[in-house]
CSV table of all heavy atoms in Angstrom, one decimal:
chain,number,residue,atom,x,y,z
A,1,HIS,N,-14.5,10.3,1.8
A,1,HIS,CA,-14.3,11.5,2.6
A,1,HIS,C,-14.9,12.8,2.1
A,1,HIS,O,-14.8,13.8,2.6
A,1,HIS,CB,-12.8,11.7,2.6
A,1,HIS,CG,-12.0,10.6,3.1
A,1,HIS,ND1,-12.1,10.1,4.4
A,1,HIS,CD2,-11.1,9.7,2.5
A,1,HIS,CE1,-11.3,9.1,4.6
A,1,HIS,NE2,-10.7,8.8,3.4
A,2,GLY,N,-15.7,12.7,0.9
A,2,GLY,CA,-16.3,13.8,0.4
A,2,GLY,C,-15.6,14.6,-0.6
A,2,GLY,O,-16.1,15.6,-1.2
A,3,ASN,N,-14.4,14.1,-1.1
A,3,ASN,CA,-13.6,14.7,-2.2
A,3,ASN,C,-14.4,14.3,-3.4
A,3,ASN,O,-14.9,13.3,-3.6
A,3,ASN,CB,-12.2,14.3,-2.2
A,3,ASN,CG,-11.4,14.6,-0.9
A,3,ASN,OD1,-11.4,15.7,-0.5
A,3,ASN,ND2,-10.8,13.5,-0.4
A,4,MET,N,-14.4,15.3,-4.4
A,4,MET,CA,-15.1,15.1,-5.6
A,4,MET,C,-14.3,15.5,-6.9
A,4,MET,O,-13.4,16.4,-6.8
A,4,MET,CB,-16.4,15.9,-5.7
A,4,MET,CG,-17.4,15.4,-4.7
A,4,MET,SD,-19.0,16.4,-4.8
A,4,MET,CE,-20.1,15.5,-3.7
A,5,VAL,N,-14.6,14.9,-8.0
A,5,VAL,CA,-14.0,15.2,-9.3
A,5,VAL,C,-15.2,15.3,-10.3
A,5,VAL,O,-16.0,14.3,-10.4
A,5,VAL,CB,-13.1,14.3,-9.8
A,5,VAL,CG1,-12.6,14.5,-11.2
A,5,VAL,CG2,-11.8,14.3,-8.9
A,6,ALA,N,-15.3,16.3,-11.1
A,6,ALA,CA,-16.2,16.3,-12.3
A,6,ALA,C,-15.3,16.6,-13.5
A,6,ALA,O,-14.7,17.6,-13.7
A,6,ALA,CB,-17.2,17.5,-12.2
A,7,MET,N,-15.1,15.6,-14.3
A,7,MET,CA,-14.0,15.7,-15.3
A,7,MET,C,-14.6,15.4,-16.7
A,7,MET,O,-15.3,14.4,-17.0
A,7,MET,CB,-12.9,14.5,-15.0
A,7,MET,CG,-11.8,14.5,-16.1
A,7,MET,SD,-10.4,13.7,-15.4
A,7,MET,CE,-9.3,13.8,-16.8
A,8,THR,N,-14.4,16.3,-17.6
A,8,THR,CA,-14.8,16.1,-19.0
A,8,THR,C,-13.5,16.0,-19.9
A,8,THR,O,-12.6,16.8,-19.8
A,8,THR,CB,-15.7,17.4,-19.4
A,8,THR,OG1,-16.7,17.5,-18.5
A,8,THR,CG2,-16.3,17.1,-20.8
A,9,GLN,N,-13.6,15.2,-20.9
A,9,GLN,CA,-12.3,14.9,-21.9
A,9,GLN,C,-12.9,14.6,-23.1
A,9,GLN,O,-14.0,14.0,-23.4
A,9,GLN,CB,-11.5,13.8,-21.3
A,9,GLN,CG,-12.1,12.5,-21.0
A,9,GLN,CD,-11.2,11.6,-20.3
A,9,GLN,OE1,-10.6,11.9,-19.3
A,9,GLN,NE2,-11.0,10.4,-20.9
A,10,THR,N,-12.2,15.0,-24.2
A,10,THR,CA,-12.6,15.0,-25.5
A,10,THR,C,-11.6,14.9,-26.6
A,10,THR,O,-10.5,15.3,-26.4
A,10,THR,CB,-13.6,16.1,-25.8
A,10,THR,OG1,-14.2,16.0,-27.1
A,10,THR,CG2,-12.9,17.5,-25.8
A,11,LEU,N,-12.0,14.2,-27.8
A,11,LEU,CA,-11.2,14.4,-28.9
A,11,LEU,C,-11.8,15.5,-30.0
A,11,LEU,O,-11.3,15.6,-31.0
A,11,LEU,CB,-11.2,13.1,-29.8
A,11,LEU,CG,-10.4,11.9,-29.0
A,11,LEU,CD1,-10.5,10.6,-29.9
A,11,LEU,CD2,-9.0,12.2,-28.9
A,12,LEU,N,-12.9,16.0,-29.5
A,12,LEU,CA,-13.8,17.1,-30.2
A,12,LEU,C,-14.8,16.3,-30.9
A,12,LEU,O,-15.8,16.0,-30.5
A,12,LEU,CB,-13.0,18.0,-31.1
A,12,LEU,CG,-13.8,19.1,-31.7
A,12,LEU,CD1,-14.8,19.7,-30.7
A,12,LEU,CD2,-12.9,20.1,-32.3
A,13,SER,N,-14.5,15.9,-32.3
A,13,SER,CA,-15.5,15.2,-33.0
A,13,SER,C,-15.5,13.7,-32.5
A,13,SER,O,-14.5,13.2,-32.0
A,13,SER,CB,-15.2,15.3,-34.5
A,13,SER,OG,-15.4,16.5,-35.0
A,14,ILE,N,-16.5,13.0,-32.9
A,14,ILE,CA,-16.5,11.6,-32.8
A,14,ILE,C,-15.4,11.0,-33.7
A,14,ILE,O,-15.2,11.3,-34.8
A,14,ILE,CB,-17.9,11.0,-33.1
A,14,ILE,CG1,-18.0,9.5,-32.6
A,14,ILE,CG2,-18.2,11.0,-34.6
A,14,ILE,CD1,-19.4,9.0,-32.5
A,15,PHE,N,-14.4,10.2,-33.0
A,15,PHE,CA,-13.2,9.7,-33.7
A,15,PHE,C,-12.2,10.7,-33.9
A,15,PHE,O,-11.3,10.6,-34.7
A,15,PHE,CB,-13.5,8.9,-34.9
A,15,PHE,CG,-14.2,7.5,-34.7
A,15,PHE,CD1,-15.5,7.3,-34.8
A,15,PHE,CD2,-13.3,6.5,-34.4
A,15,PHE,CE1,-16.1,6.1,-34.5
A,15,PHE,CE2,-13.9,5.2,-34.1
A,15,PHE,CZ,-15.2,5.0,-34.3
A,16,GLY,N,-12.4,11.9,-33.3
A,16,GLY,CA,-11.5,13.1,-33.6
A,16,GLY,C,-11.3,13.4,-35.0
A,16,GLY,O,-12.1,13.6,-35.8
A,17,ALA,N,-9.9,13.4,-35.4
A,17,ALA,CA,-9.6,13.7,-36.7
A,17,ALA,C,-9.7,12.5,-37.6
A,17,ALA,O,-9.4,12.6,-38.8
A,17,ALA,CB,-8.1,14.1,-36.8
A,18,ARG,N,-10.3,11.4,-37.1
A,18,ARG,CA,-10.4,10.1,-37.9
A,18,ARG,C,-9.1,9.7,-38.4
A,18,ARG,O,-8.9,9.0,-39.5
A,18,ARG,CB,-11.4,10.3,-39.0
A,18,ARG,CG,-12.8,10.5,-38.7
A,18,ARG,CD,-13.1,11.9,-38.4
A,18,ARG,NE,-14.5,12.2,-38.2
A,18,ARG,CZ,-15.0,13.4,-38.1
A,18,ARG,NH1,-14.3,14.4,-38.1
A,18,ARG,NH2,-16.3,13.5,-38.0
A,19,VAL,N,-8.0,9.9,-37.5
A,19,VAL,CA,-6.7,9.5,-37.9
A,19,VAL,C,-6.1,8.7,-36.7
A,19,VAL,O,-6.2,9.2,-35.5
A,19,VAL,CB,-5.8,10.7,-38.2
A,19,VAL,CG1,-4.3,10.3,-38.2
A,19,VAL,CG2,-6.3,11.3,-39.5
A,20,VAL,N,-5.5,7.7,-36.9
A,20,VAL,CA,-4.7,6.9,-35.9
A,20,VAL,C,-3.2,7.1,-36.0
A,20,VAL,O,-2.6,7.0,-37.2
A,20,VAL,CB,-5.1,5.4,-36.0
A,20,VAL,CG1,-4.2,4.6,-35.0
A,20,VAL,CG2,-6.5,5.2,-35.6
A,21,SER,N,-2.5,7.3,-35.0
A,21,SER,CA,-1.0,7.3,-35.0
A,21,SER,C,-0.5,5.9,-35.0
A,21,SER,O,-0.8,5.2,-34.0
A,21,SER,CB,-0.5,8.1,-33.7
A,21,SER,OG,0.8,7.8,-33.4
A,22,PRO,N,0.1,5.5,-36.0
A,22,PRO,CA,0.5,4.1,-36.1
A,22,PRO,C,1.6,3.8,-35.0
A,22,PRO,O,1.6,2.6,-34.6
A,22,PRO,CB,1.1,4.0,-37.6
A,22,PRO,CG,1.5,5.4,-37.9
A,22,PRO,CD,0.5,6.2,-37.3
A,23,SER,N,2.4,4.7,-34.7
A,23,SER,CA,3.4,4.3,-33.7
A,23,SER,C,2.9,4.2,-32.2
A,23,SER,O,3.5,3.5,-31.5
A,23,SER,CB,4.6,5.5,-33.7
A,23,SER,OG,5.1,5.6,-34.9
A,24,THR,N,1.8,4.9,-32.0
A,24,THR,CA,1.2,4.8,-30.6
A,24,THR,C,-0.1,4.1,-30.5
A,24,THR,O,-0.5,3.8,-29.4
A,24,THR,CB,1.0,6.2,-30.1
A,24,THR,OG1,0.1,6.9,-30.9
A,24,THR,CG2,2.3,7.1,-30.2
A,25,GLY,N,-0.8,3.9,-31.6
A,25,GLY,CA,-2.2,3.3,-31.6
A,25,GLY,C,-3.2,4.2,-31.1
A,25,GLY,O,-4.3,3.7,-30.8
A,26,LEU,N,-3.0,5.5,-30.9
A,26,LEU,CA,-3.9,6.5,-30.5
A,26,LEU,C,-4.7,7.1,-31.5
A,26,LEU,O,-4.2,7.6,-32.6
A,26,LEU,CB,-3.2,7.6,-29.5
A,26,LEU,CG,-2.4,7.0,-28.4
A,26,LEU,CD1,-1.8,8.2,-27.7
A,26,LEU,CD2,-3.3,6.2,-27.4
A,27,LEU,N,-6.0,7.2,-31.3
A,27,LEU,CA,-6.9,8.1,-32.1
A,27,LEU,C,-6.4,9.6,-31.8
A,27,LEU,O,-6.2,9.9,-30.6
A,27,LEU,CB,-8.3,8.0,-31.8
A,27,LEU,CG,-9.0,6.9,-32.7
A,27,LEU,CD1,-10.4,6.6,-32.1
A,27,LEU,CD2,-9.2,7.5,-34.2
A,28,LEU,N,-6.3,10.5,-32.9
A,28,LEU,CA,-6.0,11.8,-32.6
A,28,LEU,C,-7.1,12.8,-32.6
A,28,LEU,O,-8.1,12.6,-33.3
A,28,LEU,CB,-4.9,12.2,-33.7
A,28,LEU,CG,-3.7,11.3,-33.9
A,28,LEU,CD1,-2.8,11.7,-35.0
A,28,LEU,CD2,-3.0,11.3,-32.5
A,29,ASN,N,-6.9,13.9,-31.9
A,29,ASN,CA,-8.0,14.9,-31.8
A,29,ASN,C,-8.1,15.8,-33.1
A,29,ASN,O,-7.2,15.7,-34.0
A,29,ASN,CB,-7.7,15.8,-30.6
A,29,ASN,CG,-6.5,16.8,-30.9
A,29,ASN,OD1,-6.6,17.7,-31.7
A,29,ASN,ND2,-5.4,16.4,-30.3
A,30,ASN,N,-9.2,16.4,-33.3
A,30,ASN,CA,-9.3,17.4,-34.4
A,30,ASN,C,-9.6,18.8,-33.8
A,30,ASN,O,-10.5,19.5,-34.2
A,30,ASN,CB,-10.3,17.0,-35.5
A,30,ASN,CG,-11.7,16.9,-34.9
A,30,ASN,OD1,-11.9,16.7,-33.7
A,30,ASN,ND2,-12.7,17.1,-35.8
A,31,GLY,N,-8.8,19.2,-32.8
A,31,GLY,CA,-9.0,20.4,-32.0
A,31,GLY,C,-8.9,21.8,-32.9
A,31,GLY,O,-9.4,22.7,-32.5
A,32,ILE,N,-8.2,21.6,-34.1
A,32,ILE,CA,-8.2,22.8,-35.0
A,32,ILE,C,-9.5,23.2,-35.5
A,32,ILE,O,-9.8,24.3,-35.7
A,32,ILE,CB,-7.3,22.5,-36.2
A,32,ILE,CG1,-5.8,22.2,-35.7
A,32,ILE,CG2,-7.2,23.6,-37.1
A,32,ILE,CD1,-5.2,23.3,-34.8
A,33,MET,N,-10.5,22.3,-35.5
A,33,MET,CA,-11.9,22.6,-35.8
A,33,MET,C,-12.5,23.6,-34.9
A,33,MET,O,-13.5,24.2,-35.2
A,33,MET,CB,-12.6,21.4,-36.1
A,33,MET,CG,-14.0,21.7,-36.8
A,33,MET,SD,-14.9,20.2,-37.1
A,33,MET,CE,-15.3,19.6,-35.4
A,34,TRP,N,-12.0,23.7,-33.7
A,34,TRP,CA,-12.6,24.7,-32.7
A,34,TRP,C,-12.4,26.1,-33.1
A,34,TRP,O,-13.0,27.0,-32.6
A,34,TRP,CB,-11.9,24.4,-31.3
A,34,TRP,CG,-12.8,23.7,-30.4
A,34,TRP,CD1,-14.1,23.8,-30.1
A,34,TRP,CD2,-12.4,22.6,-29.5
A,34,TRP,NE1,-14.6,22.9,-29.2
A,34,TRP,CE2,-13.4,22.2,-28.7
A,34,TRP,CE3,-11.1,22.1,-29.3
A,34,TRP,CZ2,-13.4,21.2,-27.8
A,34,TRP,CZ3,-11.1,21.0,-28.4
A,34,TRP,CH2,-12.2,20.6,-27.6
A,35,PHE,N,-11.5,26.4,-34.1
A,35,PHE,CA,-11.2,27.7,-34.5
A,35,PHE,C,-12.0,28.1,-35.7
A,35,PHE,O,-12.1,27.3,-36.6
A,35,PHE,CB,-9.7,27.9,-34.7
A,35,PHE,CG,-8.8,27.7,-33.6
A,35,PHE,CD1,-8.1,26.5,-33.5
A,35,PHE,CD2,-8.6,28.7,-32.7
A,35,PHE,CE1,-7.2,26.3,-32.3
A,35,PHE,CE2,-7.8,28.5,-31.6
A,35,PHE,CZ,-7.2,27.3,-31.3
A,36,ASP,N,-12.4,29.3,-35.8
A,36,ASP,CA,-13.0,29.8,-37.0
A,36,ASP,C,-12.0,30.1,-38.1
A,36,ASP,O,-11.0,30.8,-37.9
A,36,ASP,CB,-13.8,31.2,-36.6
A,36,ASP,CG,-14.7,31.6,-37.7
A,36,ASP,OD1,-14.5,31.3,-38.9
A,36,ASP,OD2,-15.7,32.4,-37.4
A,37,PRO,N,-12.1,29.4,-39.2
A,37,PRO,CA,-11.0,29.6,-40.3
A,37,PRO,C,-11.1,31.0,-41.0
A,37,PRO,O,-10.2,31.3,-41.7
A,37,PRO,CB,-11.3,28.5,-41.3
A,37,PRO,CG,-12.8,28.3,-41.1
A,37,PRO,CD,-13.2,28.5,-39.6
A,38,GLU,N,-12.2,31.8,-40.7
A,38,GLU,CA,-12.4,33.1,-41.4
A,38,GLU,C,-11.6,34.2,-40.7
A,38,GLU,O,-11.8,34.4,-39.4
A,38,GLU,CB,-13.8,33.4,-41.4
A,38,GLU,CG,-14.1,34.6,-42.4
A,38,GLU,CD,-15.6,34.7,-42.7
A,38,GLU,OE1,-16.4,33.9,-42.2
A,38,GLU,OE2,-16.0,35.7,-43.4
A,39,PRO,N,-10.6,34.7,-41.3
A,39,PRO,CA,-9.8,35.8,-40.6
A,39,PRO,C,-10.6,36.8,-40.1
A,39,PRO,O,-11.6,37.3,-40.6
A,39,PRO,CB,-8.8,36.3,-41.7
A,39,PRO,CG,-8.8,35.1,-42.7
A,39,PRO,CD,-10.2,34.5,-42.7
A,40,GLY,N,-10.2,37.4,-39.0
A,40,GLY,CA,-10.8,38.6,-38.3
A,40,GLY,C,-11.9,38.2,-37.4
A,40,GLY,O,-12.6,39.2,-36.8
A,41,ARG,N,-12.3,37.1,-37.3
A,41,ARG,CA,-13.5,36.6,-36.6
A,41,ARG,C,-13.0,36.4,-35.1
A,41,ARG,O,-11.9,36.1,-34.9
A,41,ARG,CB,-14.1,35.4,-37.2
A,41,ARG,CG,-14.6,35.6,-38.6
A,41,ARG,CD,-15.9,36.2,-38.7
A,41,ARG,NE,-17.0,35.3,-38.2
A,41,ARG,CZ,-18.2,35.6,-38.1
A,41,ARG,NH1,-18.6,36.9,-38.5
A,41,ARG,NH2,-19.1,34.7,-37.7
A,42,PRO,N,-14.0,36.4,-34.1
A,42,PRO,CA,-13.7,35.9,-32.8
A,42,PRO,C,-13.2,34.4,-32.8
A,42,PRO,O,-13.8,33.6,-33.6
A,42,PRO,CB,-15.0,36.0,-32.0
A,42,PRO,CG,-15.9,37.0,-32.7
A,42,PRO,CD,-15.4,36.9,-34.2
A,43,ASN,N,-12.2,34.1,-32.1
A,43,ASN,CA,-11.6,32.7,-32.1
A,43,ASN,C,-11.1,32.3,-33.5
A,43,ASN,O,-11.2,31.2,-33.9
A,43,ASN,CB,-12.8,31.8,-31.6
A,43,ASN,CG,-12.2,30.4,-31.3
A,43,ASN,OD1,-11.2,30.2,-30.7
A,43,ASN,ND2,-12.9,29.4,-31.7
């Protein structure tokens, strides 16, 4: 019918945080790395 989806999804790094949740079997993201750890900086 012409409906469209363009979808992007991520864990951020490859294998995310390189940590697996044992109760769920899921690889976990490392989204905290998106932030600059230096205080006072953008983001």
Side-chain angles (χ1 to χ4, degrees):
H1 302 294
N3 301 307
M4 293 184 174
V5 171
M7 182 167 179
T8 311
Q9 56 190 52
T10 185
L11 293 176
L12 184 47
S13 292
I14 194 163
F15 286 96
R18 291 85 167 186
V19 168
V20 168
S21 158
S23 301
T24 66
L26 300 179
L27 268 165
L28 304 179
N29 70 74
N30 63 335
I32 298 304
M33 193 177 61
W34 259 314
F35 296 101
D36 190 334
E38 192 168 355
R41 304 274 294 175
N43 192 41

